[in-house]
Amino acid sequence: MVLPPPVYDPPFRITRASHVVLEVSDLDASQSFYADVLGLILTSRDETTLFFRGIEEACHHSLVLRRSDRQPACARIGMRVLSEQDLDRAEVFFSQDHCPTAWVEVPHQGRTLHITDPVGVPLELCAQMTAVPRMITEFQLHKGGCAQRIDHCQILTPEVRRARDFYMSAGFRLSEYIASADDEVLLGVFLQRKGNPHDIVFFDGAGPRLHHFAYFTPQVHHLLLACDMAGALGFGREVERGPGRHGPGHAMYVYFRDPDGHRVELFNTHYQVMDMENQAVRWDPTDHKLSFPWGLPAQRKWFEEATSFLGVEPRPSTRQSNPLTLEKFLTS
Ligand SMILES: [Fe+2]
């Protein structure tokens, strides 16, 4: 496969995946799940909104939960840029690609730019947030999964190739991808700005929809602590997949569904990928031994269910999906 070349001097500088804004139905249930099971720190709460951050994060929020009576949805994927000038350059860059942009006021964030990317994902860029203390050595406050920092989001889209090409033109590096050698099939792309395997991931599927967002946790045993806490607090059936080991990315993981069905991953063991000679790793979509080292595969719903973006109608994929599901595995 001929890949687009990396852009080492991007038109503007995104630094990392930064935050996710979700709509939820019950703030108390969401607070219990994210604070006690994942172990996020509640920065602030008002009548309509919860603001959470990971235990090492010195910014006001990496997860915003807004109460709503609508169908639970994802309002925005947040990314940080390095400087205020990068925001202005981002507006020019996205506008040139005919992506809608708007300047908005967002609590606890500096100047904020709303954008819809070329495959329909609603993004939110800012350079600054209200600073708050890191809780990484406040051990008395650590709970459950000890979620340390937000790491990435995974999006389903019928336009994986278009997403790859656009984000690479914006300076994202391709770390890994799932594709046939003849370039006929492109199932997934892992794109990064911060020097580990991914900030944003696109997989083939009806979309755009948010498949999951993910927090890094310091130790493997924190995955088990999160599961135990989920069981103890009545969220045991919401442990959807794992703990297990990914092929692509190599992470140890566990996936949960929150009280509104939004999917969140807790993981650790990533690696650095930033030097010029680092080549993107291709995974063969037909080789389950490589992409699935041990354990049980995910249920079909893990592959198919996802959170819609607010006001965005998903479009079907033209590709017939045929993943190795748990249901298929148990009857084979
Ligand atoms: Fe993930």
Side-chain angles (χ1 to χ4, degrees), residues 11 93 115-116 125 137 150 187 210 264 288 315:
F93 179 82
I115 299 159
T116 301
L125 304 186
T137 56
I150 197 164
L187 282 190
L210 174 64
V264 57
H288 296 308
R315 286 164 284 122

Side-chain angles (χ1 to χ4, degrees), residues 152 154 198 212 214 246 255 265:
H152 63 270
Q154 185 162 315
H198 39 27
H212 70 267
H246 281 305
Y255 291 88
E265 177 187 20

Side-chain angles (χ1 to χ4, degrees), residues 77-96:
I77 300 295
M79 293 192 181
R80 294 289 284 271
V81 297
L82 192 58
S83 73
E84 294 293 333
Q85 291 73 30
D86 286 306
L87 283 176
D88 298 317
R89 295 183 192 122
E91 183 189 26
V92 172
F93 179 82
F94 281 93
S95 298
Q96 283 171 346

